[in-house]
Amino acid sequence: MTATSSVPEPGALLVGVDGALHGRTGGYQKRLGEMAGVYRDAAAYRRALDEHGAGQVVYHVEEHRNSGDEGALIIGTSILQPGSYGDEFAMTRGHLHRKADRAELYHCLSGRGVMLLETLDGRSRALPITPGAAVHVPGHWVHRSINVGDEPLVTLFCYPADAGQDYELIADAGGMAQLVVRDEDGWTTRPNPDHTGYRGQQR
Ligand SMILES: [Fe+2]
């Protein structure tokens, strides 16, 4: 007879368009003071700190996980507040999965955003995310979400529990290769002059 006591219970979740996750097992908040170096316009970032304080929550994540094992999933919601820093929009720090081949699904529940995706060898994609849209992020793509609207950008995500996140990769590269910036049509992308190439792939 096989042991079943270590098999997790199924998760029964309720997901609100505001990102509320009934059935959550945890989560975290990211505060403005933790975003140093993320935005190119350091003066604009400092002004935001002066105005809102380092403790202002800029995004938060609600999660359901029942195992960290290979093959298990982490399911959750991400709620990214709107804002702007110079001509850049509020965004997440972004990462590559520590196990870089691990993929991820994002499904937009509310708000208006962009998923910025880059490979280490120079491919780049900026995909609009509006309610109903989903992005399948393959392994080996650096990814970050950006709120280009005036309301919170809420996504439902799902990724392998053993994926992990490498947050230093982007900082070490001087930022992602592309910037998502405000323009007369809403937003556009522009090469980031500070980007030095990703680790192991310096140009
Ligand atoms: Fe991810």
Side-chain angles (χ1 to χ4, degrees), residues 37-81:
V38 170
Y39 297 102
R40 276 200 83 227
D41 189 336
Y45 174 67
R46 276 196 304 276
R47 282 196 300 276
L49 277 178
D50 287 344
E51 191 176 339
H52 303 294
Q56 158 123 338
V57 174
V58 286
Y59 60 94
H60 69 281
V61 166
E62 307 285 347
E63 284 183 344
H64 177 270
R65 52 174 91 196
N66 55 18
S67 163
D69 292 350
E70 188 178 342
L73 296 173
I74 297 172
I75 296 165
T77 52
S78 164
I79 301 96
L80 172 61
Q81 298 302 321

mmCIF file of all heavy atoms in Angstrom, residues 37-81:
data_model
loop_
_atom_site.group_PDB
_atom_site.id
_atom_site.type_symbol
_atom_site.label_atom_id
_atom_site.label_comp_id
_atom_site.label_asym_id
_atom_site.label_seq_id
_atom_site.Cartn_x
_atom_site.Cartn_y
_atom_site.Cartn_z
ATOM 1 N N GLY A 37 16.917 51.673 -7.527
ATOM 2 C CA GLY A 37 17.680 51.194 -8.683
ATOM 3 C C GLY A 37 16.843 50.584 -9.785
ATOM 4 O O GLY A 37 17.371 50.270 -10.857
ATOM 5 N N VAL A 38 15.542 50.394 -9.526
ATOM 6 C CA VAL A 38 14.689 49.752 -10.544
ATOM 7 C C VAL A 38 14.365 50.729 -11.677
ATOM 8 O O VAL A 38 14.335 50.347 -12.847
ATOM 9 C CB VAL A 38 13.398 49.211 -9.894
ATOM 10 C CG1 VAL A 38 12.394 48.765 -10.948
ATOM 11 C CG2 VAL A 38 13.738 48.056 -8.938
ATOM 12 N N TYR A 39 14.147 52.003 -11.319
ATOM 13 C CA TYR A 39 13.758 53.007 -12.318
ATOM 14 C C TYR A 39 14.974 53.813 -12.753
ATOM 15 O O TYR A 39 15.845 54.127 -11.947
ATOM 16 C CB TYR A 39 12.669 53.919 -11.738
ATOM 17 C CG TYR A 39 11.406 53.151 -11.407
ATOM 18 C CD1 TYR A 39 11.106 52.792 -10.097
ATOM 19 C CD2 TYR A 39 10.559 52.738 -12.423
ATOM 20 C CE1 TYR A 39 9.963 52.058 -9.803
ATOM 21 C CE2 TYR A 39 9.412 52.003 -12.140
ATOM 22 C CZ TYR A 39 9.121 51.667 -10.834
ATOM 23 O OH TYR A 39 8.000 50.935 -10.538
ATOM 24 N N ARG A 40 15.028 54.168 -14.028
ATOM 25 C CA ARG A 40 16.177 54.911 -14.565
ATOM 26 C C ARG A 40 16.263 56.304 -13.967
ATOM 27 O O ARG A 40 17.346 56.827 -13.744
ATOM 28 C CB ARG A 40 16.047 55.046 -16.092
ATOM 29 C CG ARG A 40 16.543 53.861 -16.848
ATOM 30 C CD ARG A 40 16.843 54.247 -18.286
ATOM 31 N NE ARG A 40 18.166 54.851 -18.400
ATOM 32 C CZ ARG A 40 18.432 55.958 -19.067
ATOM 33 N NH1 ARG A 40 17.481 56.620 -19.664
ATOM 34 N NH2 ARG A 40 19.661 56.421 -19.136
ATOM 35 N N ASP A 41 15.097 56.916 -13.759
ATOM 36 C CA ASP A 41 15.063 58.304 -13.310
ATOM 37 C C ASP A 41 15.161 58.324 -11.778
ATOM 38 O O ASP A 41 14.157 58.289 -11.080
ATOM 39 C CB ASP A 41 13.759 58.952 -13.812
ATOM 40 C CG ASP A 41 13.729 60.447 -13.597
ATOM 41 O OD1 ASP A 41 14.444 60.935 -12.688
ATOM 42 O OD2 ASP A 41 12.988 61.129 -14.319
ATOM 43 N N ALA A 42 16.408 58.398 -11.283
ATOM 44 C CA ALA A 42 16.635 58.305 -9.836
ATOM 45 C C ALA A 42 15.998 59.484 -9.110
ATOM 46 O O ALA A 42 15.504 59.334 -7.982
ATOM 47 C CB ALA A 42 18.133 58.244 -9.553
ATOM 48 N N ALA A 43 15.983 60.659 -9.746
ATOM 49 C CA ALA A 43 15.387 61.842 -9.107
ATOM 50 C C ALA A 43 13.881 61.654 -8.960
ATOM 51 O O ALA A 43 13.294 62.016 -7.926
ATOM 52 C CB ALA A 43 15.703 63.087 -9.926
ATOM 53 N N ALA A 44 13.250 61.076 -9.981
ATOM 54 C CA ALA A 44 11.802 60.834 -9.917
ATOM 55 C C ALA A 44 11.483 59.817 -8.819
ATOM 56 O O ALA A 44 10.482 59.956 -8.101
ATOM 57 C CB ALA A 44 11.295 60.344 -11.271
ATOM 58 N N TYR A 45 12.340 58.804 -8.690
ATOM 59 C CA TYR A 45 12.153 57.808 -7.621
ATOM 60 C C TYR A 45 12.274 58.470 -6.246
ATOM 61 O O TYR A 45 11.461 58.212 -5.353
ATOM 62 C CB TYR A 45 13.159 56.667 -7.784
ATOM 63 C CG TYR A 45 13.141 55.672 -6.655
ATOM 64 C CD1 TYR A 45 12.034 54.842 -6.445
ATOM 65 C CD2 TYR A 45 14.216 55.572 -5.767
ATOM 66 C CE1 TYR A 45 12.011 53.939 -5.387
ATOM 67 C CE2 TYR A 45 14.201 54.671 -4.717
ATOM 68 C CZ TYR A 45 13.106 53.860 -4.532
ATOM 69 O OH TYR A 45 13.081 52.975 -3.484
ATOM 70 N N ARG A 46 13.285 59.341 -6.094
ATOM 71 C CA ARG A 46 13.462 60.032 -4.803
ATOM 72 C C ARG A 46 12.268 60.925 -4.485
ATOM 73 O O ARG A 46 11.814 61.003 -3.340
ATOM 74 C CB ARG A 46 14.752 60.864 -4.816
ATOM 75 C CG ARG A 46 16.007 60.049 -4.474
ATOM 76 C CD ARG A 46 17.173 60.958 -4.108
ATOM 77 N NE ARG A 46 17.473 61.925 -5.156
ATOM 78 C CZ ARG A 46 18.248 61.653 -6.213
ATOM 79 N NH1 ARG A 46 18.787 60.464 -6.348
ATOM 80 N NH2 ARG A 46 18.465 62.576 -7.133
ATOM 81 N N ARG A 47 11.729 61.590 -5.514
ATOM 82 C CA ARG A 47 10.538 62.427 -5.293
ATOM 83 C C ARG A 47 9.361 61.573 -4.824
ATOM 84 O O ARG A 47 8.606 61.967 -3.937
ATOM 85 C CB ARG A 47 10.160 63.177 -6.573
ATOM 86 C CG ARG A 47 11.037 64.398 -6.859
ATOM 87 C CD ARG A 47 10.374 65.317 -7.899
ATOM 88 N NE ARG A 47 10.141 64.659 -9.184
ATOM 89 C CZ ARG A 47 11.064 64.542 -10.145
ATOM 90 N NH1 ARG A 47 12.275 65.035 -9.965
ATOM 91 N NH2 ARG A 47 10.786 63.924 -11.276
ATOM 92 N N ALA A 48 9.221 60.388 -5.421
ATOM 93 C CA ALA A 48 8.132 59.483 -5.011
ATOM 94 C C ALA A 48 8.329 59.043 -3.562
ATOM 95 O O ALA A 48 7.364 58.957 -2.791
ATOM 96 C CB ALA A 48 8.070 58.270 -5.945
ATOM 97 N N LEU A 49 9.581 58.783 -3.184
ATOM 98 C CA LEU A 49 9.872 58.407 -1.788
ATOM 99 C C LEU A 49 9.495 59.548 -0.840
ATOM 100 O O LEU A 49 8.901 59.311 0.219
ATOM 101 C CB LEU A 49 11.363 58.102 -1.627
ATOM 102 C CG LEU A 49 11.863 56.712 -1.995
ATOM 103 C CD1 LEU A 49 13.383 56.658 -1.804
ATOM 104 C CD2 LEU A 49 11.192 55.625 -1.162
ATOM 105 N N ASP A 50 9.851 60.771 -1.237
ATOM 106 C CA ASP A 50 9.529 61.940 -0.401
ATOM 107 C C ASP A 50 8.013 62.084 -0.265
ATOM 108 O O ASP A 50 7.499 62.413 0.793
ATOM 109 C CB ASP A 50 10.101 63.218 -1.018
ATOM 110 C CG ASP A 50 11.617 63.289 -0.877
ATOM 111 O OD1 ASP A 50 12.168 62.528 -0.054
ATOM 112 O OD2 ASP A 50 12.246 64.092 -1.599
ATOM 113 N N GLU A 51 7.310 61.849 -1.384
ATOM 114 C CA GLU A 51 5.871 62.072 -1.406
ATOM 115 C C GLU A 51 5.101 60.984 -0.669
ATOM 116 O O GLU A 51 4.167 61.255 0.081
ATOM 117 C CB GLU A 51 5.399 62.160 -2.862
ATOM 118 C CG GLU A 51 3.974 62.651 -3.008
ATOM 119 C CD GLU A 51 3.562 62.810 -4.466
ATOM 120 O OE1 GLU A 51 4.460 62.939 -5.336
ATOM 121 O OE2 GLU A 51 2.353 62.780 -4.733
ATOM 122 N N HIS A 52 5.483 59.715 -0.896
ATOM 123 C CA HIS A 52 4.670 58.598 -0.400
ATOM 124 C C HIS A 52 5.295 57.854 0.776
ATOM 125 O O HIS A 52 4.610 57.112 1.474
ATOM 126 C CB HIS A 52 4.415 57.589 -1.527
ATOM 127 C CG HIS A 52 3.764 58.193 -2.732
ATOM 128 N ND1 HIS A 52 2.492 58.704 -2.702
ATOM 129 C CD2 HIS A 52 4.218 58.382 -3.990
ATOM 130 C CE1 HIS A 52 2.175 59.178 -3.904
ATOM 131 N NE2 HIS A 52 3.215 59.003 -4.704
ATOM 132 N N GLY A 53 6.623 57.985 0.950
ATOM 133 C CA GLY A 53 7.296 57.264 2.020
ATOM 134 C C GLY A 53 7.742 55.878 1.566
ATOM 135 O O GLY A 53 7.121 55.260 0.688
ATOM 136 N N ALA A 54 8.841 55.411 2.177
ATOM 137 C CA ALA A 54 9.435 54.130 1.779
ATOM 138 C C ALA A 54 8.512 52.948 2.061
ATOM 139 O O ALA A 54 8.635 51.886 1.448
ATOM 140 C CB ALA A 54 10.774 53.928 2.495
ATOM 141 N N GLY A 55 7.546 53.148 2.994
ATOM 142 C CA GLY A 55 6.682 52.028 3.388
ATOM 143 C C GLY A 55 5.477 51.813 2.491
ATOM 144 O O GLY A 55 4.724 50.852 2.673
ATOM 145 N N GLN A 56 5.302 52.700 1.512
ATOM 146 C CA GLN A 56 4.142 52.554 0.612
ATOM 147 C C GLN A 56 4.201 51.217 -0.134
ATOM 148 O O GLN A 56 5.216 50.879 -0.746
ATOM 149 C CB GLN A 56 4.152 53.710 -0.394
ATOM 150 C CG GLN A 56 3.372 53.431 -1.645
ATOM 151 C CD GLN A 56 2.284 54.481 -1.878
ATOM 152 O OE1 GLN A 56 1.860 55.149 -0.945
ATOM 153 N NE2 GLN A 56 1.850 54.620 -3.088
ATOM 154 N N VAL A 57 3.110 50.454 -0.088
ATOM 155 C CA VAL A 57 3.063 49.175 -0.810
ATOM 156 C C VAL A 57 2.860 49.459 -2.293
ATOM 157 O O VAL A 57 1.889 50.109 -2.677
ATOM 158 C CB VAL A 57 1.935 48.280 -0.273
ATOM 159 C CG1 VAL A 57 1.789 47.016 -1.124
ATOM 160 C CG2 VAL A 57 2.195 47.913 1.186
ATOM 161 N N VAL A 58 3.802 48.993 -3.134
ATOM 162 C CA VAL A 58 3.687 49.225 -4.571
ATOM 163 C C VAL A 58 3.120 48.005 -5.296
ATOM 164 O O VAL A 58 2.497 48.147 -6.341
ATOM 165 C CB VAL A 58 5.025 49.687 -5.189
ATOM 166 C CG1 VAL A 58 5.308 51.130 -4.803
ATOM 167 C CG2 VAL A 58 6.179 48.784 -4.790
ATOM 168 N N TYR A 59 3.364 46.809 -4.778
ATOM 169 C CA TYR A 59 2.637 45.648 -5.265
ATOM 170 C C TYR A 59 2.610 44.587 -4.184
ATOM 171 O O TYR A 59 3.438 44.585 -3.273
ATOM 172 C CB TYR A 59 3.161 45.092 -6.590
ATOM 173 C CG TYR A 59 4.589 44.608 -6.678
ATOM 174 C CD1 TYR A 59 4.909 43.260 -6.490
ATOM 175 C CD2 TYR A 59 5.614 45.473 -7.030
ATOM 176 C CE1 TYR A 59 6.209 42.800 -6.635
ATOM 177 C CE2 TYR A 59 6.918 45.028 -7.169
ATOM 178 C CZ TYR A 59 7.213 43.687 -6.972
ATOM 179 O OH TYR A 59 8.509 43.224 -7.104
ATOM 180 N N HIS A 60 1.619 43.728 -4.269
ATOM 181 C CA HIS A 60 1.586 42.613 -3.331
ATOM 182 C C HIS A 60 1.098 41.359 -4.027
ATOM 183 O O HIS A 60 0.486 41.420 -5.104
ATOM 184 C CB HIS A 60 0.801 42.945 -2.065
ATOM 185 C CG HIS A 60 -0.673 43.112 -2.236
ATOM 186 N ND1 HIS A 60 -1.241 44.270 -2.735
ATOM 187 C CD2 HIS A 60 -1.696 42.283 -1.969
ATOM 188 C CE1 HIS A 60 -2.551 44.140 -2.754
ATOM 189 N NE2 HIS A 60 -2.862 42.937 -2.302
ATOM 190 N N VAL A 61 1.442 40.254 -3.425
ATOM 191 C CA VAL A 61 1.180 38.948 -4.011
ATOM 192 C C VAL A 61 0.456 38.091 -2.979
ATOM 193 O O VAL A 61 0.824 38.090 -1.796
ATOM 194 C CB VAL A 61 2.527 38.290 -4.439
ATOM 195 C CG1 VAL A 61 2.347 36.804 -4.741
ATOM 196 C CG2 VAL A 61 3.124 39.016 -5.640
ATOM 197 N N GLU A 62 -0.616 37.423 -3.423
ATOM 198 C CA GLU A 62 -1.320 36.435 -2.605
ATOM 199 C C GLU A 62 -1.046 35.072 -3.225
ATOM 200 O O GLU A 62 -1.087 34.944 -4.448
ATOM 201 C CB GLU A 62 -2.833 36.691 -2.614
ATOM 202 C CG GLU A 62 -3.259 38.097 -2.228
ATOM 203 C CD GLU A 62 -3.146 38.346 -0.733
ATOM 204 O OE1 GLU A 62 -2.968 37.361 0.016
ATOM 205 O OE2 GLU A 62 -3.224 39.507 -0.328
ATOM 206 N N GLU A 63 -0.740 34.096 -2.404
ATOM 207 C CA GLU A 63 -0.290 32.806 -2.949
ATOM 208 C C GLU A 63 -1.028 31.631 -2.324
ATOM 209 O O GLU A 63 -1.413 31.682 -1.160
ATOM 210 C CB GLU A 63 1.197 32.593 -2.629
ATOM 211 C CG GLU A 63 2.143 33.380 -3.468
ATOM 212 C CD GLU A 63 3.590 33.044 -3.135
ATOM 213 O OE1 GLU A 63 3.866 32.448 -2.070
ATOM 214 O OE2 GLU A 63 4.447 33.387 -3.955
ATOM 215 N N HIS A 64 -1.139 30.592 -3.107
ATOM 216 C CA HIS A 64 -1.524 29.288 -2.578
ATOM 217 C C HIS A 64 -0.458 28.285 -2.986
ATOM 218 O O HIS A 64 -0.180 28.121 -4.172
ATOM 219 C CB HIS A 64 -2.885 28.828 -3.136
ATOM 220 C CG HIS A 64 -3.278 27.460 -2.660
ATOM 221 N ND1 HIS A 64 -2.940 26.318 -3.348
ATOM 222 C CD2 HIS A 64 -3.931 27.055 -1.546
ATOM 223 C CE1 HIS A 64 -3.397 25.271 -2.683
ATOM 224 N NE2 HIS A 64 -4.002 25.687 -1.599
ATOM 225 N N ARG A 65 0.178 27.682 -1.987
ATOM 226 C CA ARG A 65 1.130 26.607 -2.281
ATOM 227 C C ARG A 65 0.917 25.497 -1.259
ATOM 228 O O ARG A 65 0.602 25.759 -0.101
ATOM 229 C CB ARG A 65 2.572 27.101 -2.293
ATOM 230 C CG ARG A 65 3.047 27.872 -1.093
ATOM 231 C CD ARG A 65 4.530 28.167 -1.190
ATOM 232 N NE ARG A 65 4.851 29.432 -1.822
ATOM 233 C CZ ARG A 65 6.061 29.763 -2.289
ATOM 234 N NH1 ARG A 65 7.057 28.901 -2.216
ATOM 235 N NH2 ARG A 65 6.288 30.941 -2.816
ATOM 236 N N ASN A 66 1.082 24.269 -1.711
ATOM 237 C CA ASN A 66 0.889 23.138 -0.802
ATOM 238 C C ASN A 66 2.097 22.217 -0.771
ATOM 239 O O ASN A 66 2.097 21.221 -0.054
ATOM 240 C CB ASN A 66 -0.385 22.358 -1.147
ATOM 241 C CG ASN A 66 -0.411 21.896 -2.600
ATOM 242 O OD1 ASN A 66 0.642 21.856 -3.247
ATOM 243 N ND2 ASN A 66 -1.581 21.558 -3.098
ATOM 244 N N SER A 67 3.123 22.570 -1.543
ATOM 245 C CA SER A 67 4.323 21.738 -1.597
ATOM 246 C C SER A 67 5.388 22.509 -2.355
ATOM 247 O O SER A 67 5.073 23.286 -3.262
ATOM 248 C CB SER A 67 4.008 20.431 -2.333
ATOM 249 O OG SER A 67 5.212 19.798 -2.732
ATOM 250 N N GLY A 68 6.638 22.314 -2.000
ATOM 251 C CA GLY A 68 7.722 22.921 -2.773
ATOM 252 C C GLY A 68 8.346 21.929 -3.725
ATOM 253 O O GLY A 68 9.381 22.200 -4.335
ATOM 254 N N ASP A 69 7.732 20.780 -3.844
ATOM 255 C CA ASP A 69 8.327 19.686 -4.619
ATOM 256 C C ASP A 69 8.298 19.953 -6.116
ATOM 257 O O ASP A 69 7.418 20.657 -6.622
ATOM 258 C CB ASP A 69 7.581 18.376 -4.352
ATOM 259 C CG ASP A 69 7.782 17.888 -2.933
ATOM 260 O OD1 ASP A 69 8.644 18.448 -2.226
ATOM 261 O OD2 ASP A 69 7.051 16.960 -2.532
ATOM 262 N N GLU A 70 9.246 19.363 -6.800
ATOM 263 C CA GLU A 70 9.229 19.361 -8.259
ATOM 264 C C GLU A 70 7.888 18.787 -8.713
ATOM 265 O O GLU A 70 7.441 17.767 -8.199
ATOM 266 C CB GLU A 70 10.386 18.487 -8.763
ATOM 267 C CG GLU A 70 10.600 18.537 -10.241
ATOM 268 C CD GLU A 70 11.795 17.690 -10.666
ATOM 269 O OE1 GLU A 70 12.634 17.344 -9.814
ATOM 270 O OE2 GLU A 70 11.851 17.364 -11.863
ATOM 271 N N GLY A 71 7.254 19.466 -9.640
ATOM 272 C CA GLY A 71 5.958 19.006 -10.134
ATOM 273 C C GLY A 71 4.787 19.717 -9.497
ATOM 274 O O GLY A 71 3.688 19.713 -10.043
ATOM 275 N N ALA A 72 5.015 20.335 -8.321
ATOM 276 C CA ALA A 72 3.938 21.082 -7.666
ATOM 277 C C ALA A 72 3.826 22.476 -8.288
ATOM 278 O O ALA A 72 4.723 22.940 -8.990
ATOM 279 C CB ALA A 72 4.213 21.198 -6.172
ATOM 280 N N LEU A 73 2.697 23.139 -8.015
ATOM 281 C CA LEU A 73 2.438 24.473 -8.553
ATOM 282 C C LEU A 73 2.348 25.507 -7.442
ATOM 283 O O LEU A 73 1.932 25.184 -6.328
ATOM 284 C CB LEU A 73 1.108 24.494 -9.324
ATOM 285 C CG LEU A 73 1.020 23.637 -10.580
ATOM 286 C CD1 LEU A 73 -0.412 23.657 -11.116
ATOM 287 C CD2 LEU A 73 2.009 24.110 -11.644
ATOM 288 N N ILE A 74 2.718 26.735 -7.759
ATOM 289 C CA ILE A 74 2.383 27.899 -6.942
ATOM 290 C C ILE A 74 1.366 28.700 -7.754
ATOM 291 O O ILE A 74 1.605 29.011 -8.926
ATOM 292 C CB ILE A 74 3.617 28.756 -6.626
ATOM 293 C CG1 ILE A 74 4.618 27.951 -5.786
ATOM 294 C CG2 ILE A 74 3.212 30.039 -5.900
ATOM 295 C CD1 ILE A 74 5.958 28.633 -5.577
ATOM 296 N N ILE A 75 0.224 28.979 -7.133
ATOM 297 C CA ILE A 75 -0.858 29.710 -7.792
ATOM 298 C C ILE A 75 -1.099 30.971 -6.979
ATOM 299 O O ILE A 75 -1.084 30.919 -5.740
ATOM 300 C CB ILE A 75 -2.125 28.832 -7.835
ATOM 301 C CG1 ILE A 75 -1.868 27.583 -8.695
ATOM 302 C CG2 ILE A 75 -3.328 29.609 -8.355
ATOM 303 C CD1 ILE A 75 -2.898 26.498 -8.520
ATOM 304 N N GLY A 76 -1.289 32.076 -7.634
ATOM 305 C CA GLY A 76 -1.504 33.285 -6.851
ATOM 306 C C GLY A 76 -1.960 34.456 -7.684
ATOM 307 O O GLY A 76 -2.160 34.352 -8.900
ATOM 308 N N THR A 77 -2.130 35.572 -6.993
ATOM 309 C CA THR A 77 -2.511 36.817 -7.648
ATOM 310 C C THR A 77 -1.448 37.872 -7.342
ATOM 311 O O THR A 77 -0.837 37.869 -6.274
ATOM 312 C CB THR A 77 -3.880 37.316 -7.153
ATOM 313 O OG1 THR A 77 -3.871 37.375 -5.729
ATOM 314 C CG2 THR A 77 -5.001 36.406 -7.626
ATOM 315 N N SER A 78 -1.253 38.744 -8.304
ATOM 316 C CA SER A 78 -0.330 39.865 -8.163
ATOM 317 C C SER A 78 -1.129 41.142 -8.366
ATOM 318 O O SER A 78 -1.900 41.244 -9.330
ATOM 319 C CB SER A 78 0.772 39.729 -9.213
ATOM 320 O OG SER A 78 1.461 40.956 -9.365
ATOM 321 N N ILE A 79 -0.978 42.083 -7.462
ATOM 322 C CA ILE A 79 -1.725 43.349 -7.525
ATOM 323 C C ILE A 79 -0.689 44.471 -7.563
ATOM 324 O O ILE A 79 -0.023 44.760 -6.558
ATOM 325 C CB ILE A 79 -2.663 43.518 -6.313
ATOM 326 C CG1 ILE A 79 -3.669 42.354 -6.261
ATOM 327 C CG2 ILE A 79 -3.397 44.851 -6.379
ATOM 328 C CD1 ILE A 79 -3.303 41.208 -5.354
ATOM 329 N N LEU A 80 -0.540 45.070 -8.740
ATOM 330 C CA LEU A 80 0.478 46.105 -8.972
ATOM 331 C C LEU A 80 -0.206 47.467 -9.056
ATOM 332 O O LEU A 80 -1.032 47.698 -9.947
ATOM 333 C CB LEU A 80 1.229 45.782 -10.271
ATOM 334 C CG LEU A 80 2.211 46.812 -10.822
ATOM 335 C CD1 LEU A 80 3.337 47.092 -9.833
ATOM 336 C CD2 LEU A 80 2.796 46.305 -12.151
ATOM 337 N N GLN A 81 0.138 48.346 -8.135
ATOM 338 C CA GLN A 81 -0.495 49.671 -8.087
ATOM 339 C C GLN A 81 -0.018 50.531 -9.271
ATOM 340 O O GLN A 81 1.101 50.359 -9.748
ATOM 341 C CB GLN A 81 -0.162 50.372 -6.773
ATOM 342 C CG GLN A 81 -0.676 49.629 -5.539
ATOM 343 C CD GLN A 81 -2.177 49.407 -5.557
ATOM 344 O OE1 GLN A 81 -2.943 50.275 -5.975
ATOM 345 N NE2 GLN A 81 -2.624 48.224 -5.120
#
